Amino acid sequence: MARARITVFFMGLVLWCCLTKAEYMKYKDPKQAVHVRTRDLLNRMTLEEKIGQMVQIERSVASADVMNKYFIGSVLSGGGSAPSPQASPEAWINMINDFQKGSLATRMQIPMIYGIDAVHGNNNVYKATIFPHNIGLGATRDPKLVKKIGAATALESRATGIPYVFAPCIAVCRDPRWGRCYESYSEDPHLVDAMTEIVPGLQGDMPAKSSKGVPFVAGNKNVAACAKHYVGDGGTTKGINENNTVISWHDLLSIHMPGYYTSIIKGVSTVMVSYSSWNGVKMHANRDLVTGFLKNKLRFRGFVISDWEGIDRITYPPRANYTYSILEAIRSGIDMVMVPYNYSSFIDGLTFLVKNNFIPMSRIDDAVKRILRVKFAMGLFENPLADNSLVDQLGSQEHRELAREAVRRSLVLLKNGHYADQPLLPLPKKTSKILVAGSHADNLGYQCGGWTIEWQGFSGNDLTNGTTVLTAIKNTVDSSTNVVYEENPDPKFVKSNNFSCAIVVVGEHPYVETKGDSMNLTIPEPGPTTIRNVCGALKCVVILMSGRPVVIEPYINSMDALVAAWLPGSEGQGVADVLFGDYGFSGKLPRTWFKTVDQLPMNVGDPHYDPLFPFGFGLTTEPTKAY
């Protein structure tokens, strides 16, 4: 009996020792270095768990059960995808935490990472501050301002529980016919490179002695960033989206690559691969550029993510041979795949390729190591669940004031009076009667552009909060000034109302990606008709809202003043601030303004350079009121 008790005692002791040893896992210890934690966790994972980490799915097909069953590494909101229309920050947080709880219930308790296209503010979310699109920020020429916008965007993303944003777009748009041109800061690689200061805005400033190329996120008020779209997306033939960029190696490096060098030095966490091709080779299958150059030459240590169903497009038609697409994408060096719906077929396909030795285990381990490195670096293991502590940051007054500042500094004054000594702007606040006209004067959706609440943007004033230009004008003028709004007035109305001047606000309708590709770059009707009807009869200033330079030469002589307002976002008050002289015009063209589309592509430095307005052009005015 005594011997039996001793035996039971020793067995219990052994079991206790085993349990004690099992309880200490280096990857769960925040005091351990990231590389130690990563290696420890990687060594404990099964193939199934590793492949799950490489998958990013759309929120509409995600659930706690799906996260748990497939070990899913990431979830995203596609453009316009939200928990519900006009969802509150709390609704976003609850949804994301529900997914996260499924991940935390897995064997290794690896948290998922939630991503969203916060490309000009947290733009999918109701009541978020919508900043000017990148082309407008390029006109400010101010990296410090862009860094502040990055920090504000991080806070508004974290306000909804989101720790990862697919921004910044550091494309160098070389042809305005491209439907994503407004997502590019400039045609000039030096200006785009300078604007990568948004990366430390989003992620936080790297400590001085940090290793270059290693992902860095400062804490729970910052987000992991994503430099996109690697590489050459802005240089496609005729600006056709997802097309082929035909360019030499030297020009690829000098024009399209500088922003990536700098973003990596600044600790960017992820890089997204472009749909486009370089000299006929799809970037999603370009091992030389993804693994050879980005990972090995530039020593990028974060993870590489595909674009939305990007690997499907390796073949034509898309998904014609999905197994081949998986093989080529993973071998090229893509670490996380934005599936986003057919995740089970991707998992099955990749598992088959690994088990049958088409893809070596070392490639899977490289991908998962990079994904885990980012998750550890951003503190996701210590703080996997979001809380409500930052909900008041969404659409905060401070952020709206920052966006308003960005609007007024992004405006480029292209014409001011028919003669230099007779400027029209700034307009007087006190006058008898002002006509405000045009499709974009009282349309919040139009002034925000694409990637706003819905993927392709929207029309009207009902889907989020903000200030239209019409409201801003009414807020700014003297109480005695009569502001009359007529969206598309006929000549008789214009001539018979004794207006002192007119403000015409017209431009492009919202678009995203391929739907924005345009071979003619004309302003849609009734914009041209409104310009003719109003500017033919009155002193007028035209406020042009567009994602790029458009055809204006036929109308410019009839205008007394012309302002390129780009896509200013939710804070239209910034337009009125400058229009009526509270602040001066200071913006400079981030792009060459062509005379005719026949000149395209045409960029500063080209031998055939003959612009209507050159790169860097912008008239200035002095404020009439000191601040």
Side-chain angles (χ1 to χ4, degrees):
M1 190 70 179
R3 183 178 295 176
R5 282 199 296 268
I6 292 170
T7 302
V8 170
F9 172 79
F10 276 109
M11 287 177 65
L13 183 63
V14 170
L15 180 62
W16 180 83
C17 290
C18 290
L19 288 172
T20 302
K21 185 177 182 181
E23 284 173 3
Y24 179 70
M25 299 181 182
K26 289 182 181 179
Y27 80 89
K28 290 188 174 183
D29 185 355
K31 295 179 182 178
Q32 294 285 350
V34 167
H35 72 274
V36 173
R37 300 178 76 185
T38 302
R39 184 171 60 246
D40 179 62
L41 178 51
L42 192 65
N43 289 339
R44 299 174 186 274
M45 294 171 70
T46 65
L47 175 62
E48 189 180 17
E49 289 167 334
K50 290 176 181 178
I51 288 177
Q53 284 301 301
M54 297 172 66
V55 180
Q56 185 180 65
I57 65 174
E58 216 283 325
R59 54 152 292 279
S60 59
V61 298
S63 68
D65 288 341
V66 167
M67 304 303 292
N68 186 269
K69 180 179 179 181
Y70 294 96
F71 310 103
I72 300 296
S74 184
V75 181
L76 83 152
S77 280
S81 180
S84 61
Q86 300 187 352
S88 67
E90 291 84 358
W92 280 91
I93 288 168
N94 291 339
M95 176 193 70
I96 293 167
N97 281 348
D98 183 56
F99 300 152
Q100 191 68 281
K101 288 171 185 175
S103 297
L104 296 177
T106 57
R107 184 179 73 97
M108 305 309 297
Q109 301 176 328
I110 303 172
M112 68 87 186
I113 181 172
Y114 197 98
I116 199 166
D117 283 287
V119 298
H120 62 142
N122 193 6
N123 46 261
N124 269 22
V125 176
Y126 179 59
K127 292 186 177 180
T129 307
I130 307 299
F131 293 92
H133 268 298
N134 285 356
I135 190 170
L137 299 183
T140 70
R141 295 293 202 279
D142 190 346
K144 292 180 180 178
L145 175 65
V146 168
K147 183 178 181 179
K148 290 179 182 177
I149 289 170
T153 300
L155 285 170
E156 297 213 11
S157 298
R158 285 287 192 170
T160 52
I162 298 169
Y164 177 31
V165 301
F166 306 127
C169 178
I170 51 174
V172 182
C173 176
R174 303 292 282 179
D175 192 324
R177 291 175 289 188
W178 186 36
R180 305 192 79 152
C181 203
Y182 64 78
E183 297 184 55
S184 168
Y185 293 106
S186 178
E187 71 189 43
D188 176 35
H190 301 292
L191 181 52
V192 173
D193 189 39
M195 292 304 185
T196 61
E197 194 61 10
I198 194 172
V199 171
L202 291 164
Q203 297 193 155
D205 289 309
M206 291 184 72
K209 295 182 179 179
S210 296
S211 299
K212 305 303 181 189
V214 176
F216 174 79
V217 180
N220 289 348
K221 294 182 179 180
N222 297 94
V223 293
C226 179
K228 64 182 190 182
H229 309 84
Y230 184 83
V231 61
D233 52 341
T236 58
T237 301
K238 295 184 179 180
I240 297 171
N241 192 43
E242 303 183 22
N243 201 13
N244 189 26
T245 297
V246 181
I247 196 172
S248 69
W249 174 244
H250 175 271
D251 286 348
L252 185 76
L253 293 185
S254 61
I255 296 172
H256 298 282
M257 199 69 79
Y260 291 96
Y261 307 149
T262 309
S263 295
I264 290 166
I265 289 169
K266 292 176 179 177
V268 73
S269 296
T270 72
V271 170
M272 184 182 290
V273 177
S274 177
Y275 288 126
S276 59
S277 304
W278 175 54
N279 294 339
V281 179
K282 288 279 189 182
M283 281 305 309
H284 275 77
N286 196 321
R287 190 177 190 281
D288 289 341
L289 279 174
V290 176
T291 295
F293 196 77
L294 179 65
K295 290 184 173 181
N296 295 343
K297 184 72 172 178
L298 299 185
R299 298 187 59 78
F300 171 61
R301 292 292 177 263
F303 68 79
V304 177
I305 187 168
S306 81
D307 208 331
W308 178 280
E309 295 181 339
I311 72 167
D312 302 39
R313 289 158 158 90
I314 289 173
T315 61
Y316 187 81
R319 211 178 168 84
N321 185 338
Y322 195 51
T323 302
Y324 170 78
S325 294
I326 295 170
L327 176 66
E328 287 299 292
I330 302 304
R331 286 202 307 195
S332 75
I334 294 173
D335 304 311
M336 183 178 283
V337 179
M338 196 183 291
V339 180
Y341 302 117
N342 299 308
Y343 54 88
S344 60
S345 61
F346 171 80
I347 290 170
D348 290 344
L350 182 52
T351 302
F352 170 84
L353 290 167
V354 176
K355 287 186 174 180
N356 288 277
N357 300 316
F358 291 101
I359 295 175
M361 198 66 202
S362 60
R363 173 74 272 272
I364 301 301
D365 285 348
D366 172 64
V368 178
K369 177 175 65 178
R370 290 168 176 276
I371 293 164
L372 295 177
R373 182 183 289 139
V374 170
K375 291 183 177 184
F376 281 123
M378 62 193 298
L380 204 55
F381 279 79
E382 284 66 60
N383 296 289
L385 296 173
D387 59 39
N388 295 346
S389 61
L390 294 173
V391 294
D392 62 343
Q393 294 292 327
L394 188 78
S396 72
Q397 189 58 37
E398 182 181 356
H399 295 163
R400 293 193 181 278
E401 288 298 328
L402 178 63
R404 179 176 172 180
E405 177 189 355
V407 171
R408 58 179 176 252
R409 295 180 60 190
S410 69
L411 304 176
V412 180
L413 182 57
L414 298 174
K415 181 178 180 180
N416 191 14
H418 291 285
Y419 304 99
D421 60 346
Q422 297 178 27
L424 178 65
L425 300 176
L427 295 172
K429 292 181 181 179
K430 188 171 185 177
T431 189
S432 57
K433 190 190 295 186
I434 296 175
L435 170 64
V436 178
S439 54
H440 289 54
D442 192 33
N443 194 312
L444 189 62
Y446 280 8
Q447 78 183 37
C448 288
W451 293 114
T452 308
I453 304 299
E454 298 177 357
W455 179 44
Q456 293 287 335
F458 67 95
S459 175
N461 299 328
D462 299 329
L463 295 188
T464 195
N465 286 8
T467 304
T468 67
V469 171
L470 175 64
T471 300
I473 291 168
K474 290 178 177 179
N475 290 342
T476 304
V477 297
D478 188 83
S479 59
S480 66
T481 299
N482 185 13
V483 176
V484 177
Y485 173 59
E486 185 73 18
E487 184 173 330
N488 190 22
D490 60 38
K492 183 178 178 182
F493 177 86
V494 174
K495 292 175 183 177
S496 62
N497 273 278
N498 297 316
F499 295 111
S500 54
C501 67
I503 300 167
V504 178
V505 193
V506 295
E508 295 186 297
H509 298 158
Y511 55 81
V512 165
E513 299 184 36
T514 302
K515 289 188 178 181
D517 287 355
S518 172
M519 293 300 109
N520 57 43
L521 292 176
T522 53
I523 305 168
E525 286 290 355
T529 297
T530 306
I531 292 172
R532 283 192 295 268
N533 288 350
V534 176
C535 296
L538 290 174
K539 284 186 176 180
C540 78
V541 53
V542 173
I543 309 294
L544 183 61
M545 292 188 179
S546 65
R548 54 203 165 183
V550 291
V551 174
I552 57 170
E553 194 177 33
Y555 325 111
I556 196 165
N557 286 337
S558 67
M559 305 172 190
D560 292 276
L562 172 62
V563 177
W566 314 113
L567 298 170
S570 60
E571 305 314 302
Q573 190 65 48
V575 176
D577 286 344
V578 183
L579 206 58
F580 291 92
D582 288 339
Y583 295 82
F585 281 93
S586 60
K588 303 297 179 185
L589 281 182
R591 304 202 51 77
T592 298
W593 207 293
F594 58 88
K595 294 176 181 176
T596 71
V597 291
D598 295 335
Q599 296 174 296
L600 300 175
M602 179 177 65
N603 295 284
V604 61
D606 288 349
H608 65 290
Y609 199 67
D610 182 27
L612 182 63
F613 299 107
F615 173 84
F617 180 82
L619 302 173
T620 59
T621 60
E622 293 298 321
T624 55
K625 181 178 177 181
Y627 275 79

